[in-house]
Amino acid sequence: MATRFLMIGLIFGVVVSFATMPGTAAIAETEVGGAGAGLAKIIRGKTVCRDTNKEGASCGVERWTMYVHNNGVRYLHVIAASNTFNESRHAMVRVGADNHVKEAFMSNVAGAGVLGSTYVVLQGLGAQVTATDIGFDGATGEPKTEFVDAFDAADSIGTGPNSGDGLNFLDYDFEAPGEQPHSVYWAGGSRQGTMVGGFVTSEYTFLGQEDLTLADGQTVTANHFRMLSGTEIWVTDPDCGILKMTLNFGPGVGLEFETTELEITVEGLAQ
């Protein structure tokens, strides 16, 4: 247990250090010779939120970095600030070479302090979750561990930042288009009363590839998906970095996310 929480602390330190990097430039793809051994690609983005219920008022901003390793393993680091829910979340998600999310860590800052943190590992028909409910009324702040059951095979993890949601589509089977069921573990937070979350089953449908024009006028080829709720999302091909999303469920109805800055760095040691 001590080893696990040492690892969590190290992960959180890495998340914070990368999340506070300066803003990226507009869309660019740059060759970097000899740098970043073990990395094939680095993708950095800034994604902004607008509330269509409030005449497009700003509802938050997310800065994220995706590291794609030569062997196919990906890490996504995110810092997301939400005006709507008065919180910020630091998150890191690991994806295996098989395009399946494996584990994630998230720390939630809400109101005057830290609400809590959670570490999730997907295991078959569920998730092993270790969480601390530091900021909840009556909580001791002591770590608690429990196994959360899923209705079907666990596919992915949602940590809260919307820029992490693109990873939920990495394992979509393009050879069998149409509606495909997926079971995603969603981390807890203030609305659940605990950092321990639960599973939600949905269906994803691939609507095709589109040339999506971003804020600076440059165009990116995007994979366009629709969820069972009617939420639509556009992500980069093949790494599933978020480009655009319109939410149509729960407290997020009417929120729109758009990536306004995107920088892709192709490493020189990709062989």
Side-chain angles (χ1 to χ4, degrees), residues 163 165-167 169-170 174 209-210 212 220-225 233-244:
S163 53
D165 293 348
L167 298 179
F169 300 84
L170 270 172
F174 291 98
Q209 284 196 329
E210 300 176 13
L212 191 66
V220 181
T221 299
N223 287 333
H224 182 189
F225 293 91
I233 186 170
W234 291 256
V235 295
T236 61
D237 180 27
D239 298 307
C240 290
I242 189 173
L243 294 171
K244 181 179 177 181

Coordinates of all heavy atoms in Angstrom, one line a residue, residues 163 165-167 169-170 174 209-210 212 220-225 233-244:
S163 N -11.1 16.9 -22.3 CA -10.0 16.5 -23.3 C -9.5 15.1 -23.1 O -8.9 14.6 -24.0 CB -8.9 17.5 -23.1 OG -8.4 17.6 -21.8
D165 N -11.7 12.6 -22.8 CA -12.8 11.8 -23.3 C -12.5 11.2 -24.6 O -13.0 10.1 -25.0 CB -14.1 12.5 -23.3 CG -14.6 12.9 -21.9 OD1 -14.0 12.3 -20.9 OD2 -15.5 13.7 -21.8
G166 N -11.6 11.8 -25.4 CA -11.2 11.2 -26.7 C -10.6 9.8 -26.6 O -10.8 9.0 -27.5
L167 N -10.0 9.5 -25.5 CA -9.4 8.2 -25.3 C -10.4 7.1 -25.3 O -10.1 5.9 -25.5 CB -8.5 8.2 -24.0 CG -7.3 9.2 -24.0 CD1 -6.6 9.0 -22.6 CD2 -6.4 8.9 -25.1
F169 N -12.5 6.5 -27.3 CA -12.8 6.0 -28.7 C -11.6 5.3 -29.3 O -11.8 4.9 -30.5 CB -13.3 7.2 -29.5 CG -14.5 7.9 -29.0 CD1 -14.4 8.9 -28.0 CD2 -15.7 7.6 -29.5 CE1 -15.5 9.5 -27.5 CE2 -16.9 8.2 -29.0 CZ -16.8 9.2 -28.0
L170 N -10.6 5.1 -28.6 CA -9.4 4.5 -29.2 C -9.6 3.1 -29.7 O -9.0 2.7 -30.7 CB -8.2 4.5 -28.2 CG -7.3 5.8 -28.2 CD1 -6.4 5.7 -27.0 CD2 -6.5 5.9 -29.5
F174 N -13.2 -0.1 -36.4 CA -13.6 0.5 -37.7 C -14.0 -0.5 -38.8 O -14.6 -0.2 -39.8 CB -12.5 1.4 -38.2 CG -12.3 2.7 -37.4 CD1 -11.3 2.7 -36.4 CD2 -13.1 3.8 -37.6 CE1 -11.1 3.9 -35.7 CE2 -12.9 4.9 -36.8 CZ -11.9 5.0 -35.9
Q209 N -15.0 10.7 -41.4 CA -13.9 11.6 -41.3 C -14.3 13.0 -41.9 O -15.0 13.0 -42.9 CB -12.6 11.1 -42.0 CG -11.9 10.0 -41.2 CD -10.5 9.8 -41.6 OE1 -10.2 10.0 -42.8 NE2 -9.6 9.5 -40.7
E210 N -13.9 14.0 -41.2 CA -14.2 15.4 -41.7 C -13.0 16.3 -41.6 O -12.1 16.1 -40.7 CB -15.3 16.0 -40.8 CG -16.6 15.2 -40.9 CD -17.7 15.8 -39.9 OE1 -17.5 17.0 -39.5 OE2 -18.7 15.1 -39.7
L212 N -11.8 19.5 -40.3 CA -12.3 20.4 -39.2 C -11.4 21.6 -39.2 O -10.2 21.5 -39.0 CB -12.3 19.7 -37.9 CG -13.0 20.4 -36.8 CD1 -14.5 20.5 -37.0 CD2 -12.8 19.7 -35.4
V220 N -7.7 20.3 -39.9 CA -7.2 19.0 -39.4 C -8.2 18.0 -39.7 O -9.4 18.2 -39.6 CB -7.0 19.0 -37.8 CG1 -6.5 17.7 -37.4 CG2 -6.1 20.2 -37.4
T221 N -7.8 16.8 -40.2 CA -8.7 15.7 -40.4 C -9.1 15.1 -39.1 O -8.3 14.7 -38.3 CB -8.0 14.6 -41.3 OG1 -7.7 15.2 -42.6 CG2 -8.9 13.5 -41.6
A222 N -10.4 14.9 -38.9 CA -11.0 14.5 -37.6 C -11.8 13.3 -37.8 O -12.5 13.2 -38.8 CB -11.7 15.6 -37.0
N223 N -11.8 12.4 -36.9 CA -12.8 11.3 -36.8 C -14.0 11.8 -36.0 O -13.8 12.2 -34.8 CB -12.2 10.0 -36.1 CG -11.2 9.3 -37.0 OD1 -11.3 9.4 -38.2 ND2 -10.2 8.6 -36.4
H224 N -15.2 11.7 -36.5 CA -16.4 12.2 -35.9 C -17.2 11.1 -35.3 O -17.6 10.1 -36.1 CB -17.2 13.0 -37.0 CG -18.4 13.6 -36.5 ND1 -19.3 14.2 -37.4 CD2 -18.9 13.8 -35.2 CE1 -20.3 14.7 -36.7 NE2 -20.1 14.5 -35.4
F225 N -17.5 11.1 -34.0 CA -18.3 10.1 -33.4 C -19.6 10.7 -32.7 O -19.6 11.9 -32.4 CB -17.5 9.4 -32.3 CG -16.4 8.6 -32.8 CD1 -15.1 9.2 -32.9 CD2 -16.5 7.3 -33.1 CE1 -14.0 8.4 -33.3 CE2 -15.5 6.5 -33.5 CZ -14.2 7.1 -33.6
I233 N -18.4 14.2 -30.8 CA -17.0 14.5 -30.6 C -16.2 14.3 -31.8 O -16.5 13.4 -32.6 CB -16.5 13.7 -29.4 CG1 -15.0 14.1 -29.0 CG2 -16.5 12.2 -29.7 CD1 -14.6 13.4 -27.7
W234 N -15.2 15.2 -32.0 CA -14.3 15.1 -33.1 C -12.9 15.0 -32.6 O -12.5 15.8 -31.7 CB -14.4 16.4 -34.0 CG -15.6 16.6 -34.8 CD1 -15.8 16.4 -36.1 CD2 -16.9 17.0 -34.3 NE1 -17.1 16.7 -36.5 CE2 -17.8 17.1 -35.4 CE3 -17.4 17.4 -33.0 CZ2 -19.1 17.5 -35.2 CZ3 -18.7 17.9 -32.9 CH2 -19.5 17.9 -34.0
V235 N -12.1 13.9 -33.0 CA -10.8 13.7 -32.4 C -9.8 13.4 -33.5 O -10.2 13.1 -34.7 CB -10.8 12.4 -31.5 CG1 -11.7 12.7 -30.3 CG2 -11.3 11.2 -32.2
T236 N -8.5 13.6 -33.2 CA -7.5 13.4 -34.2 C -7.4 11.9 -34.5 O -7.7 11.1 -33.7 CB -6.1 13.9 -33.6 OG1 -5.8 13.1 -32.4 CG2 -6.1 15.4 -33.3
D237 N -6.9 11.7 -35.7 CA -6.7 10.3 -36.2 C -5.2 10.1 -36.3 O -4.5 10.8 -37.0 CB -7.3 10.2 -37.6 CG -7.2 8.8 -38.2 OD1 -7.0 7.8 -37.4 OD2 -7.2 8.7 -39.4
P238 N -4.6 9.1 -35.6 CA -5.3 8.0 -34.9 C -5.2 8.1 -33.4 O -5.7 7.2 -32.7 CB -4.4 6.8 -35.3 CG -3.0 7.3 -35.4 CD -3.2 8.8 -35.9
D239 N -4.7 9.2 -32.8 CA -4.4 9.3 -31.4 C -5.5 9.7 -30.5 O -5.4 9.7 -29.3 CB -3.2 10.2 -31.2 CG -1.9 9.6 -31.9 OD1 -1.6 8.5 -31.7 OD2 -1.3 10.4 -32.7
C240 N -6.6 10.2 -31.1 CA -7.8 10.6 -30.3 C -7.6 11.8 -29.4 O -8.1 11.8 -28.3 CB -8.4 9.4 -29.6 SG -9.1 8.2 -30.7
G241 N -6.8 12.8 -29.8 CA -6.7 14.0 -29.1 C -8.0 14.8 -29.5 O -8.4 14.9 -30.6
I242 N -8.6 15.5 -28.5 CA -9.8 16.2 -28.7 C -9.7 17.4 -29.6 O -8.7 18.2 -29.5 CB -10.5 16.6 -27.4 CG1 -11.9 17.1 -27.6 CG2 -9.7 17.6 -26.7 CD1 -12.7 17.3 -26.4
L243 N -10.6 17.6 -30.5 CA -10.6 18.8 -31.4 C -11.9 19.6 -31.1 O -11.9 20.8 -31.1 CB -10.6 18.4 -32.9 CG -9.3 17.7 -33.3 CD1 -9.4 17.2 -34.7 CD2 -8.1 18.7 -33.2
K244 N -13.0 18.9 -30.9 CA -14.3 19.6 -30.7 C -15.2 18.6 -30.0 O -15.2 17.4 -30.3 CB -14.9 20.0 -32.0 CG -16.2 20.8 -31.9 CD -16.6 21.3 -33.3 CE -18.0 22.0 -33.2 NZ -18.4 22.4 -34.6

